[in-house]
């Protein structure tokens, strides 16, 4: 089989939203699964709507997702000569004609077609006119009027379109500036794209493009049109990948979640990135629409936070700790240990960072949950905490084992149970009555902080 070459071809007019990210991801997965190439083409011919910020946002988002492209990025706007050359080929072959119809004439024809209950397909006399006019014009493609255009879509199955139903689309303006359905063909052929994988919203463009390939004598690629993504509000659906990054998603979590919008592998829900690449199969992408579900998305992310390698997780969370006002080095031993005590509870890195704050705050600046303080910091409890602090000074090697032995001796001597001191101690150490295991919290906090916080606990 010849080499698999796929491309992601965004128009840089906004952020990389989840739909675009899914298209990019599926292209990447297919390429990597097949040992092929993943190409990036920025479709920036619409100079009014395209912006450099958007190009940058898309490239940054792809980088964050780990979707590294092969070969150089192709900027469509830099290929003007190639587009003109292709237009000239079409002109020479008489595959296009000058259409002089005005916008007004087209509107009237559209209104008439719609009033008659049909949809508008542009047809006019310009196609067969023999005389040139000194009027503004556009280049329209001479679509065959007979026969049908058939293609076998990898996801959607066989798609048959009657050629009579395909309009003579405009391929270029008078000045030669080309339009989407035309340039996409020229550029896909230039990049030797073997498979065009894109959203189903492009399905009706494909027969038009196939006819242009044929007119230019270019090999027609395979097509795969992905199901649409529904669910959530339009605002959330169109939020950029970077907003999910900022909300504390791991790239592996987000990739896992969006890979499942249209693709599945038995009942398996959680995949590493390498595993998705290995298992991804375009032929098993389903036709039905995927629906966004934030709760599911968080749950998937939580699994990735739980499974992530400790050092990697620490590296990811420092940015979020920084935002909370704590500057901690990614390889800080306390951070590495702290992450292990809190990771199971966090759905996002934002949550993880917030849960980790208490470890890094100065001992005398720890804030207590007000309700818990009223409930647990009774004068009896505070005396016991001071007693525990005193007892702990004798622990030399600061390990969970030695700490628990010391505290158990302390409570045993006073005929107490662990539950009599557990909540007040946790509140004194963490600032909340809930938190990780007492011994592990103490180990991570260290001896000095533990003793200081137990002694500093105050009712008011
Ligand atoms: N630039 C087009 C878009 O962003 C994609 C074209 C394609 O994939 O064929 O919708």
């Amino acid at each position: 089989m010849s080499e698999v070459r796929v491309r992601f071809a965004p128009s840089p007019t906004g952020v990389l939203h989840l739909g675009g990210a899914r298209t990019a991801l599926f292209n990447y997965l297919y390429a990597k699964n097949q040992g092929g190439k993943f190409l990036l083409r920025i479709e920036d011919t619409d100079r009014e709507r395209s912006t450099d910020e958007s190009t940058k946002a898309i490239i940054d988002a792809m980088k964050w997702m780990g979707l590294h492209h092969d070969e150089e990025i192709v900027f469509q706007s830099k290929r003007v000569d190639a587009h003109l050359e292709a237009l000239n080929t079409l002109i020479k072959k008489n595959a296009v004609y000058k259409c002089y119809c005005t916008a007004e004439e087209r509107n009237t024809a559209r209104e008439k077609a719609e009033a008659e209950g049909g949809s508008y397909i542009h047809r006019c006399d310009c196609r067969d006119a023999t005389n040139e006019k000194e009027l503004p014009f556009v280049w329209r493609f001479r679509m065959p009027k007979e026969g049908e255009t058939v293609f076998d879509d990898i996801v959607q199955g066989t798609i048959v379109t009657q050629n009579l139903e395909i309009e003579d689309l405009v391929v270029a303006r008078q000045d030669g500036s080309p339009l989407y359905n035309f340039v996409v063909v020229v550029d896909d052929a230039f990049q030797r794209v073997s498979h065009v994988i894109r959203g189903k919203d492009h399905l009706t463009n494909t027969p038009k493009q196939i006819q242009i390939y044929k007119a230019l004598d270019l090999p027609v690629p395979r097509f795969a049109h992905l199901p649409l993504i529904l669910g959530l509000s339009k605002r959330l659906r169109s939020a950029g990948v970077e907003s999910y990054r900022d909300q504390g998603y791991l790239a592996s979590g987000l990739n896992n979640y969006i890979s499942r919008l249209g693709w599945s592998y038995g009942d398996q829900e959680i995949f590493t990135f390498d595993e998705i690449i290995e298992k991804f199969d375009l032929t098993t992408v389903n036709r039905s629409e995927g629906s966004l579900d934030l709760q599911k998305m968080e749950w998937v992310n939580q699994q990735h936070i739980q499974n992530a390698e400790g050092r990697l997780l620490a590296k990811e969370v420092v940015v979020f700790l920084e935002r909370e006002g704590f500057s901690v080095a990614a390889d800080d031993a306390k951070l590495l240990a702290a992450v292990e005590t809190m990771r199971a509870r966090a759905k996002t890195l934002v949550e993880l960072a917030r849960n980790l704050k208490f470890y890094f705050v100065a001992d005398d600046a720890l804030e207590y949950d007000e309700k818990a303080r009223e409930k647990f910091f009774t004068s009896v409890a505070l005396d016991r905490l001071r007693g525990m602090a005193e007892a702990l000074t004798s622990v030399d090697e600061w390990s969970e084992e030695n700490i628990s032995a010391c505290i158990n001796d302390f409570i045993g001597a006073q005929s107490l149970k662990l539950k009599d001191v557990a909540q007040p101690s946790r509140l004194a150490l963490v600032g909340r009555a809930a938190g990780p295991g007492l011994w592990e919290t103490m180990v991570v906090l260290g001896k000095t902080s533990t003793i200081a916080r137990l002694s500093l606990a105050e009712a008011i």
Side-chain angles (χ1 to χ4, degrees), residues 105-171:
E105 283 165 334
R106 282 198 309 276
N107 282 341
T108 313
R110 174 175 291 112
E111 278 163 19
K112 184 164 175 276
E114 284 168 3
E116 286 166 6
S119 56
Y120 173 64
I121 297 175
H122 183 86
R123 296 190 204 291
C124 62
D125 298 337
C126 305
R127 175 171 170 137
D128 301 316
T130 46
N131 54 332
E132 295 264 327
K133 299 181 191 169
E134 287 297 315
L135 288 173
F137 67 89
V138 290
W139 289 106
R140 278 191 188 271
F141 187 78
R142 200 182 291 282
M143 198 59 71
K145 283 189 169 168
E146 280 149 21
E148 49 194 30
T149 304
V150 183
F151 67 99
D152 191 15
D153 191 278
I154 299 172
V155 175
Q156 307 293 333
T158 304
I159 306 287
V160 181
T161 312
Q162 299 304 316
N163 291 339
L164 207 53
E165 301 294 316
I166 314 174
E167 74 169 358
D168 286 0
L169 66 148
V170 179
V171 293

Side-chain angles (χ1 to χ4, degrees), residues 7 9-11 43 180 184 188 196-198 202 209:
R7 65 11 175 219
S11 307
E43 301 214 315
Y180 163 69
V184 82
D188 278 341
V196 171
I197 305 169
R198 61 187 170 197
H202 283 290
Q209 293 173 12

Side-chain angles (χ1 to χ4, degrees), residues 179-197:
L179 273 76
Y180 163 69
N181 277 301
F182 170 55
V183 263
V184 82
V185 168
V186 178
D187 290 346
D188 278 341
F190 168 70
Q191 291 186 280
R192 290 179 288 117
V193 168
S194 63
H195 294 71
V196 171
I197 305 169

Side-chain angles (χ1 to χ4, degrees), residues 172-428:
R173 299 188 190 92
Q174 183 163 7
D175 63 3
S177 57
L179 273 76
Y180 163 69
N181 277 301
F182 170 55
V183 263
V184 82
V185 168
V186 178
D187 290 346
D188 278 341
F190 168 70
Q191 291 186 280
R192 290 179 288 117
V193 168
S194 63
H195 294 71
V196 171
I197 305 169
R198 61 187 170 197
K200 198 180 154 191
D201 46 331
H202 283 290
L203 193 60
T204 52
N205 288 325
T206 304
K208 299 174 190 168
Q209 293 173 12
I210 290 175
Q211 289 299 338
I212 298 174
Y213 277 105
K214 288 189 173 158
L216 288 168
D217 279 327
L218 295 169
V220 182
R222 294 289 316 268
F223 292 92
H225 288 90
L226 309 175
L228 300 180
I229 300 177
L230 306 173
L232 301 186
S233 64
K234 190 153 182 283
R235 187 181 59 80
L236 282 173
R237 257 202 322 264
S238 53
V241 162
E242 73 286 350
S243 85
Y244 290 93
R245 179 195 63 202
D246 293 347
Q247 287 168 52
Y249 280 85
L250 286 172
S252 66
L254 192 75
N255 283 336
N256 186 159
Y257 179 72
I258 60 178
S259 73
R260 307 285 322 290
L261 294 168
W263 172 75
S264 56
Y265 187 80
D267 292 338
Q268 190 171 339
E269 303 257 26
I270 302 301
F271 302 80
T272 64
F273 198 43
D274 286 344
E275 220 178 336
I276 310 177
I277 292 173
E278 188 201 315
K279 295 185 166 154
F280 186 76
D281 180 354
L282 206 46
T283 64
T284 61
V285 170
N286 49 46
R287 283 182 213 174
S288 50
E289 273 110 18
S291 195
L292 287 173
D293 173 346
L294 279 186
Q295 261 180 340
K296 184 72 183 283
M297 197 161 160
E298 280 186 347
W299 178 81
V300 170
N301 199 48
Q302 183 174 23
Q303 309 310 305
H304 279 262
I305 289 180
Q306 278 195 47
N307 300 341
E309 204 260 311
R311 282 185 180 276
L312 185 130
L313 194 55
K315 195 166 148 237
E316 296 280 352
V317 85
V318 289
V319 182
F320 293 85
L321 272 169
E322 185 83 47
R323 273 197 227 157
E324 298 286 337
F326 298 91
S327 171
V328 186
D331 59 356
D332 181 293
K334 182 169 161 189
L335 174 65
L336 289 168
V339 156
E340 295 310 321
T341 67
M342 298 306 289
R343 63 155 81 201
R345 292 167 184 80
K347 295 192 192 72
T348 65
L349 295 169
V350 169
E351 213 177 312
L352 180 60
R354 290 199 180 132
N355 290 344
L356 288 172
K357 276 185 343 188
F358 78 90
Y359 280 118
F360 299 97
V361 76
D363 296 324
D364 56 2
L366 182 71
E367 287 178 12
Y368 307 112
D369 175 83
E370 206 41 54
K371 284 225 167 76
R373 165 148 64 180
E374 278 169 25
K375 186 164 172 202
F376 297 113
F377 280 177
T378 60
S379 58
V380 177
L382 291 174
D383 279 348
R384 287 174 187 157
L385 294 185
R386 295 204 176 96
M388 281 166 66
E390 175 84 38
L392 285 169
T393 54
S394 66
V395 176
D396 285 334
E397 197 203 320
W398 195 247
S399 65
E400 284 192 38
E401 208 181 0
N402 293 349
I403 294 169
S404 72
C406 168
I407 300 295
N408 281 323
D409 281 353
F410 171 81
I411 56 181
Q414 305 201 28
S415 307
L416 296 172
K417 296 235 159 51
L418 188 59
K419 71 172 177 36
D420 298 321
V421 296
Q423 303 275 56
S425 332
R426 195 171 276 119
L427 183 60

